[in-house]
Structures are given as structure tokens and as C-alpha cells.
Amino acid sequence: MRELLRHPTQAPVTLRAMVRADEIWLTVLAAVVGGLSGLCVVIVTTVTLFLHSALFGRGNTVDGHLSGLTWLPPWRLLLVLTLGGLVLGIFGAVVAKVMPRRPVDPIEANALHGGRMSVRDSTIVALQTILSNGIGGSIGLEAGFTQIASALGSRIGQSFRVRREDLRVLVGAAAGAAIGAAFNAPVAGAFYAFELVIGSYSLVSLSPVAVAALAGVGVAHLFGHMPAAVVIADPGTLTWDGSVSVVVISILSALTAIGVMYCVTQTEVLFRKLPGPVWLKPAVGGLMVGGLAVIHPSVLSAGHDAMRVVFAGWITPRLALGLLILKALASCISIGSGFRGGLFFASLYLGSLAGTVYGALLEWIGLAPVSLTACALIGMSAMAVAIIGSPMTMVCLLLELTGSISMSGATFVAAVLSLLTVRRLFGYSFATWRFHLRGESIRSAVDIGWMRSLNVRRMMRGQVRTISSDTPLNRAQALFPLGSAQRIVLLDRDSRYVGMVNVAELQAVPAALTPVQSLAHFENAMLTPLLTVREAVELFERAEADALVVVEDLQSRQVVGILTEQHALRRYAEELERSRRTLAGEEGSAV
């Protein structure tokens, strides 16, 4: 810095070199984080598949996969899912007593907490996800992958004291690397990081996220974790005649996804209303899922092998309809009863079933759709985008997962139509919908935590001119001539706030013995220190005031400061501009 002051003409070059060095350092950290994410995926997947084989019989499963089976012993299904649900419920009850706080997931961490996550809490979530999927719960492991990977990325970033924006990038890079390693799809993993966890694309975050995704996939390959590709028969080429079917299937699949998300919420409400202890409800849910699995085991786990069966052409439209209903019910019951996990891969399987059903329906009514394989691809893209909320992630995932290029245009159209349908009719993806149910105003991972940290206490001015409310007007005019202050705060005999008087208005009235309280305004309009800047601005608008007092709390009405609307709006605008520049990559990173 001293050299910069001595030679100011060299400052731009030196600063650019510093920014480049910082970007390289952040990319190195992202590579380490990506490698750890890939390792987490390998460990979680290996343990889960071992549980599948051990609990459901090694002779009954192929490499531990459940959903591709056509039959399992009913007694084993009911026993494993019921007792497993009981263990999961007891484990959750113990954890709730030891750690009563709610774990923060990557999207919430980046939106509200500047990327800060707890490794201990995330490890508990990962263990619950492994147990939930390991006993056959109709949910995926992706929530566990991204949770523990992002927490490790957050811890590494905090250890090196990276700044808030870079910590958010590391959290997103870790989550993207986990998804990339889980599906052998680095491009989809990178887009997952941008769309869901970071919330925006920028040149600053491109290099760390891309390197992390490649590192995650590389480490997974190093340990032999290479998910089998989904083999798809030639889906044909989309024609103009078939474009109508693409639109119809996309919208119907999006509507189905909305129904699934709504049913998950209602199932949670029903289970909360059930009598009995909370720890017993996962056992009830497990028993119900086991009953559905007796009908067809494809409802178990996330549905990897079951989706391969769909694209192999072994599922008739009638069977696809039945499996769609069974899988949707099993997923709703699993999540609603307390199983831990998500709907990432389940949405892909549900979408392939929905596309098959709707494609057959269109063919029956004479709309001449493309092949049922193509319909399954379109439904998969639409359903996954509707539930997960990341169109480019799903388009790239389908390309990397299936290797089908001929239908890329159709899947892209399906993703766009699905996103528009859900935003218009529902407004949320599955992740942000669950935040909404908890009362959080989060629609994406874009950082809005600054809005909560920028509260009234940080903006207010502590020095306040006060006077007793029973002071005569002539005395108040003598104490506060024009120019001495803009406004004075009135207090009662107990030093409680009772109003505010404008000095110009005070000097404009004739001198009298009338108490100054007769000129008071905003007697019941007050700010408190913990109000956010947005809440403060809204209160200014409702009160139609250009300044309000800040009281310790609304009961005591003890004055601690004053805040003007002009200052609050200026600080709000400054933070918005800083946030915009960060999202656009216009601010250099510093470690």
C-alpha cells in the first residue's frame, strides 16, 4: 500500500495484479472444496448402498439399488421401513434436544447468512439423509450431498477469512461439485451452483465454480464412483407437428409438479395433527411407504434404476400412470412424516413417468406427439425444473445424463414453459416454497442478508434533543431558537416518548403558557433498533414522516436515537448498488 501511495501511476496495474492473485487463490480453494465434495458423495453413496444391500437382502438387490426391482418380500419391506422410521424418529428427537436450532441449508445460508454454515449441523442432516434413503424412503440423497459439501466449503472459507462474497461462491461451488460428482455431470453441477446456491452468474465466480465441479467429478472417478448412464433409444427428431405435444406435455407436467409440492405440504400438516409423540410419526410414514412398495418396489429410494427401466421401454402407459401415483404418494408421505431428503432425482423419475402418460394421452386423442421416449424426456425436463427451479441445470443434466442431443431443443422449451407456468401459478420452487412456509421471504439464493444486518441501530443518530412535554411554549421557544435544531423530542415525567415537535413550527406560533405537547406529532409512530432498513422505510411511508424517534421497545418508550427517512433511503440505495456490483462481478475479490 505504501508503494501505491509513493507511485500512484502504478496503482491501477498493481491493483489488477492483486485482484488476479486473489481470484487465483479463490480458485485454488474452490478446487480443494470440490475435491472434498466429491469425496463426500462417494462416502454417502457407498454407505447408503451398503444399507440397501444389508437391510433388504444382498440376494434381492443389484449393487444395492432398490427402485429397479419388481418384487421384494412384503414382510421385509414393512419391517425395515417401519423399524427404520422408528430409529429415524428417535434419532431426530435426540438431536432436537441436544441441538434445538434448525440447520441452515446452502440456499438459506447464501441468502441470509453470507454463506456461513455449521459443519456439525450439516453432518447430522447428512446422517439423517443416509438413514432415510438407506431404509428405502422415497427421497433422494442430493440434499445430504449438498448440505455436507457446502458446510465444508463454508468452514474452509471461514478458516481462510475470505470475505462475504467469496464465501458465498465457495458454498455454491461445493454444492455444484457435489451434484456434478453425484451424476457425473460437471456442467450441470456448475449451473446448479449458479442458479440455486449463488443465485446469479458472474465472471468472478465462473472460474472457482467450474474448477470445483471438475475436481468433484475427478475425485469421484478416482474412487470408482461413476454413475451408469441412462441408455435411451433413439427418440426421433422433433417436427413442427410434434411441437404442440411438447407445449402440452410441458404445461401438464408443471401442473403435476405443483400438485406434488402442494401435497407434500398438506401431508406434513396431516402428520403434525396425528396424535402421539413426534418420534413415532416417521415409523407410521415408513409403514405406509412399505405398503406402497409392496404394490411395486420402484417407489423406494430416489428412483435411479426405475428411471432406466422407463427409458428401456419396459413400462406401458397404464403402468406408468400407476407408478406415477404411487411414487408421488410415497415421496409426499416420506417427507411429510419426517424422513430427511429431497426431490431432486425423484422429480426426474416422476417427470419421465408423467411424460409417458401425457404422451400416450395425446396420441390417443390424435395430436400426433413424437415418440414416447421423447415424451418422457420432455416430461422429465419440465417436472424437474418445476420442482427444483433451475432450468439450465436440468437441460445440461439431461444432455450429460442421457447423451441425447436430438431432443435438446425440445427439453429446453419444456424447461422454459415449465418455469413460466410455475412462476405464474405457484410462484415458488420446492426449496423456496418450504422457506415461504417457514415465514422466510426467500425466492432465490441472492444475498439479502445485508438487508437484515442493516438495521435501525446501525443507521440511527444517538444524540437527540429532548424536552419535557409540559414545558410552556414560550419557554420552549427560548430554549430552541431557529437554527439550533430541526426537531425536538417530547418526554413525559417518566422519560417516556410522547411525540415530536418541529422547531420551525414551534417558532411560528405565538408565545403562550400552553404546553408544548399541543404541537406534538407522531405520538404513536416509533422505530425500534432491530427493525431492518426495509421495515423502517415502510414505517416512514405509513406515518408520512421525514424523521422518527427510535425507542428501546414499544412498551418502555425509552428514546435511544432518531433516524431520518433521507438517511435510511440513502443507506438502502448504497447497499443495493453494492449488491448489484457484486452480482455483476464489478468488484474485485479480496482474501
Side-chain angles (χ1 to χ4, degrees):
M1 184 58 68
R2 292 175 182 173
E3 291 298 322
L4 295 181
L5 295 176
R6 291 174 185 171
H7 307 285
T9 57
Q10 299 179 6
V13 176
T14 307
L15 286 175
R16 284 198 297 270
M18 290 172 59
V19 170
R20 283 197 298 269
D22 291 339
E23 290 178 352
I24 293 173
W25 177 235
L26 182 63
T27 303
V28 171
L29 289 180
V32 175
V33 167
L36 288 175
S37 301
L39 184 60
C40 290
V41 170
V42 173
I43 294 173
V44 171
T45 302
T46 303
V47 173
T48 304
L49 294 180
F50 172 78
L51 287 176
H52 287 172
S53 297
L55 295 177
F56 292 94
R58 298 183 186 275
N60 295 325
T61 63
V62 181
D63 297 328
H65 292 284
L66 297 175
S67 62
L69 303 175
T70 57
W71 183 86
L72 277 171
W75 67 269
R76 188 183 290 273
L77 286 169
L78 297 175
L79 183 65
V80 170
L81 280 157
T82 303
L83 293 182
L86 182 62
V87 172
L88 180 65
I90 294 174
F91 179 58
V94 172
V95 169
K97 287 188 177 181
V98 176
M99 296 185 300
R101 66 177 180 272
R102 179 179 51 79
V104 175
D105 84 341
I107 297 176
E108 185 179 4
N110 269 5
L112 299 179
H113 307 290
R116 294 183 176 273
M117 298 178 66
S118 167
V119 174
R120 185 179 67 171
D121 292 354
S122 298
T123 302
I124 296 298
V125 171
L127 291 175
Q128 290 175 318
T129 304
I130 292 172
L131 181 57
S132 298
N133 190 283
I135 64 176
S138 188
I139 48 179
L141 289 170
E142 293 77 23
F145 296 153
T146 57
Q147 183 75 31
I148 187 62
S150 297
L152 291 175
S154 177
R155 173 58 60 86
I156 290 175
Q158 292 178 61
S159 299
F160 285 94
R161 298 184 179 181
V162 302
R163 66 181 199 170
R164 182 184 182 100
E165 291 80 6
D166 294 337
L167 186 61
R168 296 179 69 254
V169 171
L170 286 178
V171 169
I179 293 298
F183 294 99
N184 193 26
V187 178
F191 273 106
Y192 180 91
F194 287 128
E195 291 186 304
L196 281 181
V197 187
I198 298 176
S200 64
Y201 304 92
S202 70
L203 293 177
V204 174
S205 58
L206 176 60
S207 175
V209 169
V211 168
L214 291 172
V217 174
V219 169
H221 284 192
L222 182 65
F223 285 92
H225 177 78
M226 291 182 287
V230 179
V231 179
I232 296 181
D234 183 14
T237 303
L238 181 65
T239 62
W240 285 108
D241 293 337
S243 59
V244 176
S245 62
V246 173
V247 174
V248 175
I249 292 172
S250 302
I251 295 176
L252 291 177
S253 297
L255 295 176
T256 304
I258 293 174
V260 171
M261 290 187 283
Y262 181 77
C263 287
V264 168
T265 304
Q266 295 305 308
T267 306
E268 288 179 327
V269 173
L270 289 176
F271 271 95
R272 281 198 297 267
K273 292 181 178 179
L274 287 179
V278 175
W279 53 265
L280 190 59
K281 294 177 182 180
V284 176
L287 178 62
M288 298 171 68
V289 174
L292 295 174
V294 169
I295 302 174
H296 204 287
S298 67
V299 304
L300 298 175
S301 190
H304 293 72
D305 279 9
M307 190 180 71
R308 294 185 178 94
V309 172
V310 174
F311 285 108
W314 299 344
I315 301 295
T316 64
R318 186 184 298 273
L319 179 57
L321 176 60
L323 293 180
L324 175 62
I325 296 173
L326 289 176
K327 181 63 178 178
L329 286 174
S331 296
C332 292
I333 292 172
S334 296
I335 296 177
S337 62
F339 282 59
R340 177 73 73 169
L343 293 176
F344 191 108
F345 201 93
S347 66
L348 296 176
Y349 176 43
L350 287 169
S352 66
L353 293 172
T356 301
V357 172
Y358 296 136
L361 178 62
L362 291 177
E363 187 177 19
W364 179 67
I365 62 178
L367 287 183
V370 289
S371 66
L372 287 183
T373 300
C375 293
L377 277 174
I378 295 166
M380 185 195 307
S381 177
M383 179 80 76
V385 169
I387 291 180
I388 306 302
S390 51
M392 289 306 302
T393 300
M394 292 308 161
V395 171
C396 294
L397 180 61
L398 291 183
L399 289 175
E400 293 180 289
L401 195 64
T402 66
S404 177
I405 304 297
S406 59
M407 293 298 294
S408 58
T411 55
F412 184 77
V413 171
V416 172
L417 289 175
S418 175
L419 186 67
L420 292 175
T421 301
V422 172
R423 286 194 174 183
R424 178 65 178 173
L425 300 180
F426 196 64
Y428 302 87
S429 65
F430 183 66
T432 53
W433 169 242
R434 296 177 70 77
F435 291 138
H436 169 72
L437 294 176
R438 294 205 303 259
E440 297 284 1
S441 57
I442 304 175
R443 287 186 177 269
S444 72
V446 174
D447 189 8
I448 61 172
W450 62 267
M451 198 177 300
R452 296 190 176 189
S453 62
L454 184 61
N455 54 29
V456 170
R457 189 185 297 278
R458 290 180 56 190
M459 297 185 295
M460 72 181 187
R461 179 166 53 86
Q463 296 179 350
V464 183
R465 306 294 296 273
T466 63
I467 191 174
S468 176
S469 59
D470 56 4
T471 302
L473 285 175
N474 55 2
R475 173 63 176 164
Q477 290 168 339
L479 290 174
F480 296 98
L482 287 174
S484 61
Q486 280 190 298
R487 54 190 67 85
I488 53 177
V489 174
L490 306 183
L491 305 177
D492 63 12
R493 294 182 180 180
D494 297 324
S495 298
R496 291 164 52 89
Y497 171 73
V498 292
M500 186 186 302
V501 172
N502 188 288
V503 172
E505 184 178 353
L506 171 67
Q507 294 295 335
V509 299
L513 298 177
T514 306
V516 71
Q517 189 173 2
S518 60
L519 300 179
H521 299 288
F522 315 121
E523 295 90 335
N524 296 312
M526 297 163 282
L527 301 171
T528 55
L530 297 183
L531 288 179
T532 66
V533 60
R534 174 177 289 180
E535 293 169 335
V537 170
E538 290 175 353
L539 190 54
F540 278 119
E541 291 179 355
R542 289 199 302 269
E544 298 182 356
D546 58 356
L548 290 174
V549 298
V550 183
V551 296
E552 190 64 40
D553 57 73
L554 298 179
Q555 289 71 37
S556 67
R557 299 172 74 104
Q558 299 297 309
V559 177
V560 295
I562 192 169
L563 178 65
T564 65
E565 183 183 30
Q566 181 182 14
H567 181 66
L569 289 174
R570 184 172 70 249
R571 289 296 308 277
Y572 186 53
E574 290 172 352
E575 290 298 327
L576 279 177
E577 175 62 15
R578 186 193 64 79
S579 178
R580 185 200 65 79
R581 290 176 62 85
T582 299
L583 291 176
E586 297 175 7
E587 290 187 358
S589 60
V591 179

